[in-house]
């Protein structure tokens, strides 16, 4: 599909759904209903679940914490992790008894895994008690699916192949009042050879600048303090727009919005991270001192086979540039261990990058075969026990570095956005520094949602403890 064919479908698609919402509310709008959404995978999926919850709210559903109480259950699936399919089939199987106890319950499954025909086939054949199957491109059609489910028997299956379309105007129910996820691009064009995401999320598409700004203005007016911009590769934002604009300029536009306090973004692909973006990050007050910059592997031959389009040296140089421009920056990453053909010596390059960069945190993955990707066909798959050995070595290298970095923060006063109270102790608040570190400190619940100064007193491997030093 050529770039120009990408259109934004807004009014017509959503107006059609309004008809179903009205019809459903006419039929049983008075009845109180509850929904349970189980979400796997990345923030993209998390945000999709927030959108589905907002749609369901319009149909009279309220969220519940337990499946047993629910009138509707949705499982929003991811396909990246190892054995993801097996786990989800197990999960789906465990819903059967709920259907037997309550034939009225609506059971749906959606998300990245449903974009795969083989997976849909298994659900249709082995778990035919499921009611709804839909994919990543059409969550806004949930009212239509529920309506049709009420009208007809049998499973409703609707999965769009990548339509090259963005559906604007889908509402969203935020998990936290004071922070929000905002999509800026959908899909991915990079085709890293191990990755299934380009097949489940389709081609890269950017939202129009004005649509993004409008959404953020709305969020600020609702009291939102922190915005996280989402895309598989935010650095390539703007390439599919008629009026091309670089991600750095989008950041500058967002930074100009009155009332904007904190901006984050993820994920950054090293191959597209420009000097201009580093300058914009350094200059924009609202942009937080944190970058998530996956390097995946340290060895140049492995990186080439992964189709990552940068070398170890380029990655390290990029990190140096970022650290020079923004000295306090926290750098987090994604790392894959045991890519096909990776020798132990090549893996040592990964450890070398870890030591040289000094990551604040890392998401670590054992390479796992994703059918349909080029790496699945590669010879020399690494035995599981060898992958696990290297994985342990990687964690043993990462963890002390994370702790060291946190230790250096002890004694400093950081501005912290208060997110909530600790699960175990109501008198302990937890929040995040601008660098994204989780910090616990004593305080009262009325501070939730505000930005306060906290003095850091103790470092743990991945978290900090401190005490309130005043309102920021
Ligand atoms: N778009 C983001 C992340 C996409 S998926 C990026 O480019 O960084 C999140 C992470 O899952 C990837 O960064 C990668 O580290 C991991 N991952 C993806 N496919 C994998 C596979 N087949 N095996 C192991 N890890 C994988
Ligand atoms: Fe997957 Fe690579 Fe795209 Fe990230 S950039 S989503 S790892 S293909
Ligand atoms: Fe998983 Fe889909 Fe995200 S496969 S990592 S939920 S884009």
């Amino acid at each position: 599909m050529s770039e120009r064919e990408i259109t934004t479908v807004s009014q017509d698609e959503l107006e059609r759904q309004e008809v179903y919402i009205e019809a459903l509310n006419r039929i049983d709008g008075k009845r109180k209903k509850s929904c349970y959404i189980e979400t796997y995978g990345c923030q993209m999926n998390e945000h999709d679940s927030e959108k589905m919850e907002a749609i369901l709210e319009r149909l009279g559903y309220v969220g519940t914490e337990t499946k047993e109480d629910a009138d509707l259950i949705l499982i929003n699936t991811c396909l990246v992790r190892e054995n993801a399919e097996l786990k989800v089939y197990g999960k789906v199987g465990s819903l059967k008894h709920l259907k037997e106890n309550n034939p009225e319950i609506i059971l749906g499954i959606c998300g990245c895994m449903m974009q795969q025909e083989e997976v849909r086939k298994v659900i249709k054949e082995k778990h035919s008690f499921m009611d709804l199957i839909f994919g990543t491109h059409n969550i806004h059609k949930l009212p239509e699916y529920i309506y049709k489910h009420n009208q007809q028997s049998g499973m409703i299956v609707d999965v769009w192949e990548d339509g090259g379309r963005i559906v604007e105007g889908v509402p969203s129910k935020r998990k936290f009042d004071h922070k929000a996820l905002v999509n800026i691009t959908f899909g991915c064009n990079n085709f890293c050879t191990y990755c299934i995401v380009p097949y489940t999320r389709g081609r890269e598409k950017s939202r129009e600048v004005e649509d993004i700004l409008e959404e953020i203005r709305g969020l600020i007016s609702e009291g939102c303090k922190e915005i996280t911009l989402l895309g598989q590769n935010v650095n390539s934002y703007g390439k599919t727009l008629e009026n091309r604009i670089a991600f750095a300029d989008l950041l500058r536009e967002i930074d100009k919005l009155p009332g904007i306090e904190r901006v984050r973004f993820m994920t950054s692909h090293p191959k597209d991270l420009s000097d201009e973006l580093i300058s914009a990050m350094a200059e924009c007050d609202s942009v937080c001192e944190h970058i998530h910059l996956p390097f995946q592997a340290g060895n140049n031959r492995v990186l080439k086979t992964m189709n990552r389009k940068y070398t170890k040296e380029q990655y390290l140089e990029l990190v140096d540039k970022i650290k020079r421009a923004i000295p306090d920056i926290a750098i987090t990453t994604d790392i894959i261990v045991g890519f096909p053909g990776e020798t132990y010596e090549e893996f040592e390059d990964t450890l070398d990058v870890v030591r040289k960069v000094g990551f604040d945190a890392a998401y670590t993955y054992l390479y796992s075969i994703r059918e349909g990707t080029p790496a699945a066909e590669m010879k020399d798959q690494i035995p599981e026990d060898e992958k696990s050995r290297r994985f342990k070595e990687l964690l043993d290298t990462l963890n002390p570095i994370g702790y060291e970095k946190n230790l250096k923060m002890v004694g400093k006063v950081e501005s912290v956005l208060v997110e909530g109270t600790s699960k175990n102790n109501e008198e302990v608040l937890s929040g995040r520094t601008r660098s994204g570190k989780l910090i616990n400190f004593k305080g009262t619940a009325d501070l939730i949602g505000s930005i306060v100064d906290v003095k850091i007193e103790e470092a743990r491997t991945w978290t900090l403890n401190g005490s309130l030093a005043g309102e920021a």
Side-chain angles (χ1 to χ4, degrees), residues 414-429:
E414 292 273 329
S415 100
V416 169
L417 175 54
V418 188
E419 297 194 337
T421 52
S422 147
K423 269 196 204 118
N424 313 320
N425 186 347
E426 292 265 306
E427 286 169 19
V428 175
L429 297 175

Side-chain angles (χ1 to χ4, degrees), residues 178-280:
H178 54 274
K179 60 178 200 175
L181 303 169
V182 172
N183 297 110
I184 63 165
T185 66
F186 295 94
C188 181
N189 284 355
N190 294 311
F191 292 96
C192 303
T193 53
Y194 50 82
C195 185
I196 198 76
V197 171
Y199 309 90
T200 68
R201 291 275 167 178
R203 293 294 57 72
E204 184 182 286
K205 305 169 259 299
S206 295
R207 286 178 73 196
E208 294 289 342
V209 181
E210 201 33 58
D211 289 332
I212 297 169
L213 294 178
E214 195 50 39
E215 181 176 346
I216 298 177
R217 276 187 211 107
L219 290 164
I220 297 172
S221 73
E222 289 168 19
C224 207
K225 300 249 164 72
E226 182 178 298
I227 304 290
T228 300
L229 307 172
L230 289 186
Q232 296 299 344
N233 173 8
V234 287
N235 307 140
S236 72
Y237 171 78
K239 288 191 178 146
T240 56
L241 295 175
E242 194 113 10
N243 299 316
R244 275 183 168 228
I245 158 169
F247 179 55
D249 292 324
L250 176 70
L251 272 190
R252 290 182 200 280
E253 289 300 318
I254 294 171
D255 187 58
K256 278 187 219 150
L257 294 174
I260 187 95
E261 301 244 14
R262 284 181 168 197
V263 179
R264 303 185 185 282
F265 52 86
M266 67 188 305
T267 298
S268 286
H269 195 306
K271 81 178 167 63
D272 293 313
L273 202 152
S274 66
D275 291 353
E276 197 39 42
L277 176 59
I278 298 175
S279 307

Side-chain angles (χ1 to χ4, degrees), residues 42 80-81 188 190 192 194-197 231-233 267-269 292 294 296 308 334-337 363 365-370 373:
C42 65
V80 157
R81 286 273 181 179
C188 181
N190 294 311
C192 303
Y194 50 82
C195 185
I196 198 76
V197 171
Q232 296 299 344
N233 173 8
T267 298
S268 286
H269 195 306
H292 185 63
Q296 313 295 2
R308 289 292 289 181
D334 292 354
I335 305 170
I336 299 177
V337 167
Y363 294 96
Y365 300 82
L366 290 164
Y367 169 76
S368 80
I369 291 180
R370 303 291 87 197
T373 62

Side-chain angles (χ1 to χ4, degrees), residues 360-453:
D360 291 83
Y363 294 96
T364 45
Y365 300 82
L366 290 164
Y367 169 76
S368 80
I369 291 180
R370 303 291 87 197
E371 293 301 341
T373 62
E377 309 294 322
M378 289 178 189
K379 288 198 283 291
D380 300 327
Q381 298 286 336
I382 310 295
E384 290 306 315
D385 57 343
E386 175 58 20
K387 278 194 251 181
S388 301
R389 262 198 302 277
R390 292 185 199 173
F391 192 76
K392 184 173 179 311
E393 204 176 336
L394 176 63
L395 294 189
D396 288 345
T397 311
L398 277 164
N399 292 355
I401 296 174
Y403 177 64
E404 279 295 312
K405 297 214 78 173
N406 282 349
L407 209 54
K408 281 198 187 128
M409 294 179 75
V410 173
K412 288 189 181 170
V413 174
E414 292 273 329
S415 100
V416 169
L417 175 54
V418 188
E419 297 194 337
T421 52
S422 147
K423 269 196 204 118
N424 313 320
N425 186 347
E426 292 265 306
E427 286 169 19
V428 175
L429 297 175
S430 68
R432 289 204 184 255
T433 63
R434 284 176 61 94
S435 56
K437 309 244 182 197
L438 195 63
I439 180 158
N440 296 311
F441 54 98
K442 276 206 167 153
T444 46
D446 57 306
L447 290 177
I448 293 172
S450 57
I451 295 179
V452 295
D453 282 337

